[in-house]
Amino acid sequence: MRKLMWFTMGYAAACGVGTYLLRGRGLLFLALICGALALAAWFFRRYDAVKRAGVLLLGCAVGFLCFFGYEYVILRPAAVLDGETAVVTIRVTDYSWESDYGIASDGEIELYGRRYRVRFYLNEERELKPGDVVRLRAQLRLTDEGGEGEPTFHRTSGILLLLYPRGDAELLPPQVKKLLDLPAHWSHRLKGIIESSFPRDTFAFAKALLLGDKSDLTWQQSREFSISGISHIVAVSGLHVSILFGFIRWLMLLVGVPVLLCFGAMSGFTASVTRAVIMQMLFLLALAVNREYDPPTALSFAALAILVQCPLSIAGIGFQ
């Protein structure tokens, strides 16, 4: 019956409702209704259609409950700071890149005992790398619904706050490098190798093609890709993961899973990359344990994993 697939469909539907239509206690009301209907379906489970509907409704109930918890535990504390100016300490998690007025980078801040992913901007030229610590007086902007501005695409990747400088930044002693920082270092190193290996007029395309880094593409190049309808080839996606998997498939589980995870981390674990990595890992696991690989079930498991981590991913075009 593919129970996981039907459960995931319900869970995803609940995330869609929470992202686009309804927030607050209304989610609890919907969870209660779906839970009651799922319980009622249990008594008629001898009918396949009713059984599928029951599993789907159960997924809806769990999804509404999880989104309600995500809203109150994660989103609301961040929403309180929307439009506020405060001194924040940021742990940098990626190499900085040039922006219109200086540089930008991604990092983490601690709020109410929890870590939040943020994107921050500096009105100065300096290179930041993972592990650096920056203290900055900044204005905070929520990327989700409920803020002063319109929701931005950042929320679909788990970045809930944007930080705009309101003074000079202070660089503090760097923290001890974490294991999770390694993919960013490897990605930066690979970009340097690509720049030194390709001619100047092609290295920007090579970086975009291999690692999804489109920062060096000119406006004209990006526009031509868009007009011709081939922008997807310079966006790291399942195609890249599948090509990579073709080279390492013979190594099977012991090498395949770590390589896929490292490549996904280097690419930022976007929704499309995460989906492909999880599905390929399940394919490897199915081969290893001599079980049949079921694509709809694997796809459902990947979607569920993404939505459990960040329900707002439902709004991302990469997820959709």
Side-chain angles (χ1 to χ4, degrees), residues 7 9 91 93 132 134 150 169 193 226 266:
F7 180 89
M9 288 173 63
R91 185 187 185 280
T93 57
D132 287 345
V134 177
E150 292 293 324
I193 293 174
S226 178
M266 289 166 55

Side-chain angles (χ1 to χ4, degrees), residues 7 14 28 63 93 109 121 128 174 187 190 209 253 268:
F7 180 89
L28 289 179
T93 57
I109 64 173
Y121 302 87
L128 299 176
S187 179
L190 281 175
L209 182 65
L253 210 56

Side-chain angles (χ1 to χ4, degrees), residues 66-305:
C66 289
F67 200 103
F68 177 81
Y70 183 80
E71 179 186 0
Y72 272 83
V73 176
I74 304 296
L75 295 180
R76 293 213 171 185
V80 171
L81 297 174
D82 183 57
E84 298 291 325
T85 300
V87 177
V88 293
T89 300
I90 309 166
R91 185 187 185 280
V92 182
T93 57
D94 198 0
Y95 282 83
S96 57
W97 62 89
E98 293 184 4
S99 65
D100 292 338
Y101 302 101
I103 63 170
S105 188
D106 291 340
E108 296 177 338
I109 64 173
E110 188 169 333
L111 296 175
Y112 312 108
R114 293 186 174 276
R115 289 196 171 274
Y116 285 81
R117 290 185 60 200
V118 299
R119 177 159 296 175
F120 65 97
Y121 302 87
L122 299 180
N123 297 328
E124 53 189 274
E125 297 292 337
R126 86 168 47 169
E127 183 181 13
L128 299 176
K129 58 184 181 299
D132 287 345
V133 180
V134 177
R135 180 177 293 154
L136 173 68
R137 181 174 177 81
Q139 183 179 26
L140 292 79
R141 184 201 167 183
L142 184 70
T143 62
D144 186 37
E145 300 280 356
E148 295 179 359
E150 292 293 324
T152 70
F153 69 92
H154 303 89
R155 63 177 180 162
T156 65
S157 58
I159 296 175
L160 298 179
L161 290 168
L162 302 178
L163 278 58
Y164 300 99
R166 293 298 181 264
D168 294 333
E170 179 185 1
L171 190 61
L172 303 179
Q175 294 183 358
V176 177
K177 290 184 173 62
K178 296 182 179 180
L179 185 62
L180 294 177
D181 291 334
L182 290 177
H185 288 290
W186 295 338
S187 179
H188 183 74
R189 176 62 179 156
L190 281 175
K191 291 173 185 177
I193 293 174
I194 292 172
E195 289 186 15
S196 62
S197 302
F198 285 82
R200 186 172 183 81
D201 59 339
T202 59
F203 80 83
F205 173 72
K207 281 205 301 183
L209 182 65
L210 296 174
L211 293 174
D213 181 1
K214 296 177 281 188
S215 59
D216 289 320
L217 290 176
T218 65
W219 178 86
Q220 182 64 26
Q221 288 173 323
S222 299
R223 181 172 179 272
E224 289 172 350
F225 280 126
S226 178
I227 291 175
S228 60
I230 58 173
S231 297
H232 60 281
I233 69 171
V234 293
V236 172
S237 63
L239 171 65
H240 296 72
V241 176
S242 298
I243 293 174
L244 177 67
F245 178 72
F247 287 103
I248 54 88
R249 180 178 178 181
W250 64 276
L251 294 175
M252 296 296 292
L253 210 56
L254 292 179
V255 175
V257 170
V259 170
L260 287 170
L261 288 174
C262 286
F263 182 77
M266 289 166 55
S267 305
F269 274 122
T270 60
S272 58
V273 170
T274 302
R275 186 273 307 164
V277 167
I278 291 176
M279 291 185 70
Q280 296 286 13
M281 286 172 55
L282 291 176
F283 177 69
L284 279 174
L285 185 61
L287 291 177
V289 299
N290 197 29
R291 295 291 297 273
E292 182 181 357
Y293 173 72
D294 184 54
T297 300
L299 180 64
S300 301
F301 182 84
L304 187 62

